[in-house]
């Protein structure tokens, strides 16, 4: 039996498993346990390794078994679990944004498109269909996350997310940062934004003299339990 924790941030849900129980079966466990209809269901698994020096190390695997560099929401879910279970009060994640046109890297790759339509469609395609095409395009050998961003005001954006290795998701921490960074750099919005995804709003702040964007938003522990292994 494998102990697990399930948590979500604005509907972007993750399982948290101790690295010690994974036995190097990360991809297979992700494919099995993240299945919505036949298992627990989640967008991905954060494998948590507790190191001897007191530090924590995370590896993230998407629902399709592919490994991803980083998830802001997933990291926040792990932080919420550690704060609840081990009385840890402060966990900080820093990501350095590097904006080049609509390509944004905040620790993992994102491609940001600006749209005007209320349904976030573009080029006569739904955002889901276009996101799937872009995410797996040969232009991105390792795939990319895709965000469709609509500017609502100088202080607010709305966006939709097609996540590499997962598909449409209700929220993404790094997607929120990427969308905000692109809006700030290319559409000259405020450097403090409310970014609204399907799962809810998060707040981003990126001052002009600071290389670190700050992301704030909710994280909620859903349940703990045990599941049969492979």
């Amino acid at each position: 039996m494998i102990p697990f924790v399930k948590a979500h941030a604005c509907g972007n849900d993750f399982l948290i498993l101790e690295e010690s129980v994974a036995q190097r079966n990360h991809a297979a466990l992700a494919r099995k346990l993240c299945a919505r209809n036949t298992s627990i269901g989640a967008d991905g698994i954060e494998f948590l390794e507790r190191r001897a020096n007191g530090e924590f190390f995370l590896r993230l695997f998407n629902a399709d078994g592919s490994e991803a560099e980083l998830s802001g929401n997933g990291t926040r879910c792990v932080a919420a679990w550690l704060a609840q279970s081990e009385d840890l009060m402060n966990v900080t994640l820093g990501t350095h944004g590097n904006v080049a046109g609509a390509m944004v890297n905040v620790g993992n790759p994102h491609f940001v498109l600006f749209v005007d339509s209320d349904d976030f469609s573009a080029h006569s395609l739904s955002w889901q269909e276009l996101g799937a095409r872009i995410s797996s395009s040969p232009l991105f050998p390792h795939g990319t996350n895709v965000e469709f961003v609509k500017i609502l005001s100088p202080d607010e954006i709305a966006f939709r997310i097609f996540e590499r290795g997962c598909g449409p998701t209700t929220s993404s921490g790094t997607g929120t940062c990427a969308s905000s960074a692109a809006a700030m750099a290319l559409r000259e919005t405020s450097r403090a934004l409310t970014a609204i995804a399907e799962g809810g709003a998060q707040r981003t702040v990126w001052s002009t003299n600071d290389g670190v964007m700050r992301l704030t938003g909710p994280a909620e522990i859903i349940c703990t339990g045990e599941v049969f292994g492979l």
Side-chain angles (χ1 to χ4, degrees):
M1 299 292 285
I2 297 177
F4 72 89
V5 175
K6 184 172 182 178
H8 82 94
C10 296
N12 189 195
D13 57 345
F14 298 88
L15 303 179
I16 304 168
L17 270 63
E18 297 281 352
E19 176 66 33
S20 57
V21 306
Q23 298 181 346
R24 300 189 179 183
N25 294 316
H26 304 88
L29 282 169
R31 287 191 294 268
K32 178 182 179 181
L33 301 185
C34 291
R36 296 285 179 189
N37 296 323
T38 58
S39 191
I40 306 166
D43 291 327
I45 298 181
E46 293 278 7
F47 291 94
L48 173 64
E49 179 186 347
R50 302 167 186 267
R51 294 186 168 176
N53 60 2
E55 293 182 348
F56 299 96
F57 181 77
L58 295 177
R59 290 184 70 183
L60 169 62
F61 281 76
N62 295 314
D64 69 351
S66 61
E67 186 169 10
E69 298 89 346
L70 176 72
S71 166
N73 282 348
T75 302
R76 195 163 71 247
C77 285
V78 174
W81 168 242
L82 291 174
Q84 175 178 308
S85 63
E86 304 194 16
D87 198 28
L88 300 180
M89 298 306 294
N90 294 294
V91 181
T92 302
L93 170 67
T95 57
H96 294 265
N98 177 23
V99 182
M103 284 299 304
V104 186
N105 189 321
V106 289
N108 60 352
H110 293 262
F111 187 79
V112 178
L113 293 87
F114 292 99
V115 299
D116 296 318
S117 57
D118 291 336
D119 62 0
F120 296 90
S121 61
H123 304 291
S124 300
L125 295 172
S126 69
W127 68 267
Q128 296 94 330
E129 183 178 358
L130 185 56
R133 293 188 183 186
I134 294 172
S135 181
S136 59
S137 167
L139 292 173
F140 307 104
H142 303 291
T144 186
N145 303 286
V146 187
E147 282 79 36
F148 299 82
V149 178
K150 184 175 183 179
I151 306 296
L152 301 181
S153 76
D155 302 309
E156 191 173 70
I157 62 172
F159 66 106
R160 296 293 182 265
I161 309 139
F162 191 96
E163 191 166 287
R164 176 187 59 174
C166 182
T169 60
T170 61
S171 183
S172 165
T174 57
T176 301
C177 290
S179 299
S180 297
M184 293 172 186
L186 303 177
R187 293 297 185 269
E188 299 183 351
T189 63
S190 168
R191 306 290 289 198
L193 284 176
T194 297
I196 306 170
E198 289 180 292
Q202 299 192 69
R203 186 74 172 165
T204 54
V205 178
W206 189 21
S207 62
T208 55
N209 59 353
D210 192 346
V212 176
M213 176 177 284
R214 288 166 173 80
L215 169 70
T216 57
E220 180 180 359
I221 305 302
I222 300 171
C223 64
T224 63
E226 292 183 328
V227 64
F228 288 108
L230 297 173

